[in-house]
Amino acid sequence: MDGMSGPYVIRGSVALPEAELAWRFSRSSGPGGQHVNTSDTQVELRFDLANTESLPEVWKQRALKRLAGRLVGGVVTVRASEHRSQWRNREAAAVRLAALLAEATAPPPKTRRPTRIPRGINERRLREKKQRSERKRGRSGRDWT
């Protein structure tokens, strides 16, 4: 695409392939002047995640699983209409799609290994608890004569 600031890197050396992106333009909703009724500034970017060859197979399966609620027939769609120019909306949509895919293909976080609380710390906590209760019991005026 002429003047686009791509390629849009997902992670590492993997980028969104320009050939696999499908662009659609329509009129944005909302207020505007005379210009708004004639220009197609809203951008809809579609990426066929199920049939892409540009992502590693592991990433693709991970993304398909994580984005299952967003996919329609294996295709992920991103819309952008916040800018008044089509070019800026195209940029916003492509960046948003790259960020979405980067998040969806990220490796799962490492599982947390539970650690044991050292006995000394637990004993100190119980000792301080007992001292605090003694101190508070000493404040009650029952035994004063």
Side-chain angles (χ1 to χ4, degrees):
M1 295 285 146
D2 46 290
M4 294 285 286
S5 63
Y8 297 97
V9 177
I10 296 173
R11 195 169 53 256
S13 62
V14 180
L16 279 175
E18 197 63 52
E20 293 184 24
L21 300 179
W23 301 91
R24 213 173 98 206
F25 309 101
S26 58
R27 296 193 182 125
S28 290
S29 62
Q34 294 147 337
H35 173 71
V36 79
N37 298 325
T38 59
S39 59
D40 293 340
T41 55
Q42 178 174 292
V43 174
E44 185 177 288
L45 176 57
R46 297 165 57 88
F47 179 66
D48 192 349
L49 185 60
N51 298 320
T52 186
E53 295 297 320
S54 60
L55 293 178
E57 192 59 35
V58 179
W59 287 21
K60 191 160 94 170
Q61 293 309 318
R62 205 179 287 157
L64 284 169
K65 188 176 169 187
R66 289 187 183 162
L67 297 174
R70 274 193 78 148
L71 298 177
V72 178
V75 177
V76 64
T77 306
V78 174
R79 271 200 192 89
S81 61
E82 58 268 14
H83 300 292
R84 288 178 62 180
S85 81
Q86 186 186 95
W87 185 81
R88 286 179 70 191
N89 280 333
R90 287 171 75 147
E91 288 283 303
V95 167
R96 207 175 294 161
L97 179 63
L100 182 73
L101 288 174
E103 193 179 320
T105 59
K110 287 182 178 164
T111 54
R112 182 188 171 277
R113 270 186 45 227
T115 54
R116 286 190 54 220
I117 299 170
R119 189 166 9 129
I121 290 178
N122 213 16
E123 286 173 357
R124 187 179 71 202
R125 180 182 63 85
L126 293 172
R127 191 169 54 248
E128 287 172 358
K129 203 171 168 182
K130 199 168 280 183
Q131 286 172 351
R132 200 174 301 115
S133 84
E134 288 294 327
R135 190 178 306 130
K136 288 188 171 191
R137 198 153 23 127
R139 289 180 190 156
S140 68
R142 279 182 306 176
D143 300 333
W144 292 1
T145 50

